[in-house]
Amino acid sequence: MPYIPRKQKKRAYQPPKRKFQRRHDDSKFYATPRWRKTRKVYLNRHPFCQICLWQNKVSEAKALDHLIRVQSGGAKFDIRNLMGMCERHHNIKSGKETHNPILIDYTRNDDGDMIPKNREDIMKIYEKGGG
């Protein structure tokens, strides 16, 4: 026998759920064919997480990360600014970047974009109790 579902009462003590929104909408950049090709080629050449390798572990790199994020002026397609990471290490780095956008020393490339002086400086992030 069919029935009419009753409306759920909203309780006063439950705040309404807010939809998650990012501060910066990067979806246009990450959906471009050039980025998808760059990501595919890089991860095929470097299939393991670089952070895990430095820690004498092995895990698959599922994320291609900009060491200096694009919103801070990091180079978009410069190989020196890219690194393959597992999800765990990518999430740790991204979480720390929300508080401090530039985590390592940088220099500028020929186009004026920021690139890391020393890629291994990224390990400092994981040594300070986060990875």
Side-chain angles (χ1 to χ4, degrees), residues 24-39 64-66 68-71 74-78 81-82 113:
H24 304 283
D25 185 18
D26 302 331
S27 58
K28 290 180 183 177
F29 168 70
Y30 290 110
T32 61
R34 183 175 177 195
W35 172 253
R36 287 189 303 224
K37 183 177 180 182
T38 301
R39 182 182 182 281
L64 182 59
D65 186 67
H66 289 93
I68 300 173
R69 62 187 193 169
V70 175
Q71 294 87 5
K76 292 181 180 180
F77 298 104
D78 194 326
N81 193 35
L82 299 175
D113 296 326

Side-chain angles (χ1 to χ4, degrees), residues 45-63:
R45 290 183 184 163
H46 308 281
F48 301 111
C49 173
Q50 295 296 304
I51 306 300
C52 287
L53 289 176
W54 284 334
Q55 295 175 346
N56 295 321
K57 301 174 187 174
V58 177
S59 65
E60 181 183 4
K62 294 188 177 187

Side-chain angles (χ1 to χ4, degrees):
M1 175 179 229
Y3 68 95
I4 299 173
R6 295 183 180 171
K7 287 186 177 181
Q8 294 288 332
K9 290 184 180 180
K10 290 189 178 184
R11 305 242 158 88
Y13 58 85
Q14 291 179 335
K17 290 185 178 181
R18 290 178 37 198
K19 191 172 182 180
F20 176 76
Q21 289 184 332
R22 296 181 184 273
R23 289 186 183 175
H24 304 283
D25 185 18
D26 302 331
S27 58
K28 290 180 183 177
F29 168 70
Y30 290 110
T32 61
R34 183 175 177 195
W35 172 253
R36 287 189 303 224
K37 183 177 180 182
T38 301
R39 182 182 182 281
K40 183 178 179 180
V41 168
Y42 190 95
L43 291 178
N44 281 336
R45 290 183 184 163
H46 308 281
F48 301 111
C49 173
Q50 295 296 304
I51 306 300
C52 287
L53 289 176
W54 284 334
Q55 295 175 346
N56 295 321
K57 301 174 187 174
V58 177
S59 65
E60 181 183 4
K62 294 188 177 187
L64 182 59
D65 186 67
H66 289 93
L67 297 176
I68 300 173
R69 62 187 193 169
V70 175
Q71 294 87 5
S72 299
K76 292 181 180 180
F77 298 104
D78 194 326
I79 299 297
R80 297 171 289 183
N81 193 35
L82 299 175
M83 181 179 287
M85 294 184 186
C86 63
E87 289 180 21
R88 178 175 177 263
H89 287 123
H90 182 259
N91 290 341
I92 291 169
K93 180 181 172 288
S94 296
K96 290 187 179 189
E97 278 179 330
T98 58
H99 303 290
N100 187 8
I102 302 171
L103 301 171
I104 57 177
D105 291 333
Y106 65 91
T107 185
R108 303 245 179 215
N109 64 8
D110 296 337
D111 297 331
D113 296 326
M114 295 165 41
I115 56 172
K117 283 185 178 178
N118 183 4
R119 291 171 58 87
E120 293 183 9
D121 283 350
I122 202 73
M123 285 304 294
K124 294 175 186 174
I125 296 168
Y126 301 100
E127 291 170 358
K128 295 180 182 178

